[in-house]
Amino acid sequence: MQVRSLQFQAFGAFAELTSIDFDTLTQSRLFLLEGPTGAGKSTVIDAIVFALYGSVAAATGSAQRIRSDFAGPGSETFADLVFEVPGGMFRVRRTPQYERIKKNGAGTTTQQATVKLWRLTEPGWELARRSSGGSDADPAGGGAGSLDHHDLDAAGELLSTRMDEAGLQISRAVGLSREQFVQTIVLPQGEFAAFLRARPEDRTSLLQRVFQTEVYVQAQARLAERRRAVTATVGEARQGMTSAAAAFTRLRSGEAPVPEAPDEPSQVVSEARGQLALALAESQEAEQRAVAARSEELAAQTALREGTVL
């Protein structure tokens, strides 16, 4: 998954509208989130995870920590994320449940959690970037020139506004549940040890999904099955060769059956020669099958080793 752009407001340590252009940051393939404790580094990660899954990254996090303590009474708390996966480009905008000032009258009212999920098109995305000057702006800031996600409202197809439906579609698109995402992509502080303590089979299954190595596991299984089949063929060929050799030995020692009351002595010789030739042919054929089967077995073993290394 590639994060293209993030915008959030009244979220965690950030009271004001903040936009981050990850396309600009990742042009050098590597960037660093740097700052003193409390500067808001974890808030950026929390905003990404919240936009995708509706909760923050840390397992001990709660909905109460999402809305900024510094937010103005009229500021909306939201996280708006544009991300790309092999299945396409998507935009998701979430708001948490929080208490806000009533628009009419005194007191507060509960703002219910919401979600919107869009499928974007690359032309629409690039048009929105050019119209806002996002490609030339400060990649992390909310001033003039930063990409306004409202410009994307007409740049794609609205897929869902339902929590359960949007969550299911996002999980399918990303290919990971929230727990898997934070264990492999994010790994919040203090939770890396939990991943290392997980059962080997759980880590193996998770890493196979993350790095899409199922194809190698399937290839290894097929090669192992082929090896078993070739081994069985070799056994049958060897058994046939042994039987042919035993028949040839009996024939040469005179133990082979001789036709009763032959009319001519030459007939006995002819029958014996025929049986000898047949035994030799069967022996040679069985030996050839054994050699071929052995070659296939060696090839399968080599392919299996290569598949295991991959």
Side-chain angles (χ1 to χ4, degrees):
M1 186 190 81
Q2 179 182 356
V3 177
R4 305 292 298 270
S5 178
L6 173 66
Q7 190 174 87
F8 53 92
Q9 176 180 270
F11 195 102
F14 296 84
E16 303 298 328
L17 177 66
T18 302
S19 298
I20 303 177
D21 183 359
F22 284 95
D23 276 1
T24 301
L25 289 174
T26 55
Q27 286 180 358
S28 60
R29 297 182 179 273
L30 185 66
F31 64 91
L32 173 67
L33 292 178
E34 186 271 339
T37 301
K41 302 182 296 296
S42 297
T43 300
V44 175
I45 304 300
D46 282 340
I48 294 174
V49 178
F50 172 75
L52 291 172
Y53 299 103
S55 61
V56 295
T60 56
S62 63
Q64 283 71 30
R65 63 177 285 191
I66 294 179
R67 181 164 173 83
S68 175
D69 294 334
F70 309 103
S75 296
E76 181 188 25
T77 297
F78 71 88
D80 198 326
L81 178 71
V82 176
F83 65 96
E84 187 172 5
V85 293
M89 187 185 303
F90 298 86
R91 174 193 173 198
V92 57
R93 188 181 193 278
R94 283 188 190 268
T95 65
Q97 177 178 307
Y98 62 93
E99 293 296 316
R100 63 169 177 82
I101 302 296
K102 289 183 178 181
K103 296 180 180 179
N104 298 313
T108 63
T109 185
T110 300
Q111 175 68 46
Q112 297 299 327
T114 65
V115 65
K116 287 185 178 181
L117 176 65
W118 294 265
R119 181 188 296 274
L120 301 181
T121 62
E122 188 69 31
W125 163 254
E126 290 298 336
L127 180 61
R129 284 173 58 85
R130 287 196 299 269
S131 64
S132 63
S135 58
D136 299 324
D138 180 358
S146 60
L147 175 61
D148 185 351
H149 281 205
H150 288 296
D151 295 335
L152 293 173
D153 289 347
E157 173 192 2
L158 181 62
L159 298 179
S160 178
T161 58
R162 290 174 47 189
M163 291 288 185
D164 54 348
E165 185 179 53
L168 181 60
Q169 292 192 47
I170 291 173
S171 295
R172 287 176 176 173
V174 176
L176 298 170
S177 66
R178 177 201 167 277
E179 290 73 17
Q180 293 169 336
F181 186 84
V182 299
Q183 283 182 340
T184 57
I185 307 301
V186 176
L187 283 178
Q189 298 179 20
E191 295 191 19
F192 182 68
F195 173 73
L196 295 180
R197 289 195 299 267
R199 295 183 303 173
E201 56 269 26
D202 293 338
R203 290 201 304 267
T204 299
S205 176
L206 179 57
L207 293 175
Q208 284 176 0
R209 292 191 60 186
V210 172
F211 298 107
Q212 299 181 351
T213 59
E214 295 97 332
V215 61
Y216 301 113
V217 176
Q218 295 171 0
Q220 182 178 351
R222 287 197 297 267
L223 288 172
E225 182 179 354
R226 180 182 174 189
R227 180 190 178 189
R228 289 191 294 269
V230 170
T231 299
T233 302
V234 170
E236 294 175 358
R238 285 176 176 171
Q239 183 178 1
M241 185 172 63
T242 301
S243 300
F248 175 67
T249 301
R250 288 195 303 272
L251 183 63
R252 293 197 63 179
S253 64
E255 296 179 2
V258 178
E260 297 181 0
D263 295 333
E264 296 290 341
S266 60
Q267 184 177 355
V268 176
V269 176
S270 178
E271 292 286 348
R273 287 177 176 174
Q275 293 183 20
L276 176 60
L278 179 61
L280 284 173
E282 292 179 351
S283 177
Q284 292 175 352
E285 183 180 355
E287 184 176 0
Q288 291 174 356
R289 289 199 304 269
V291 171
R294 179 58 179 168
S295 298
E296 291 185 6
E297 181 184 20
L298 293 175
Q301 290 175 348
T302 301
L304 178 60
R305 286 194 298 272
E306 293 176 352
T308 302
V309 171
L310 289 176

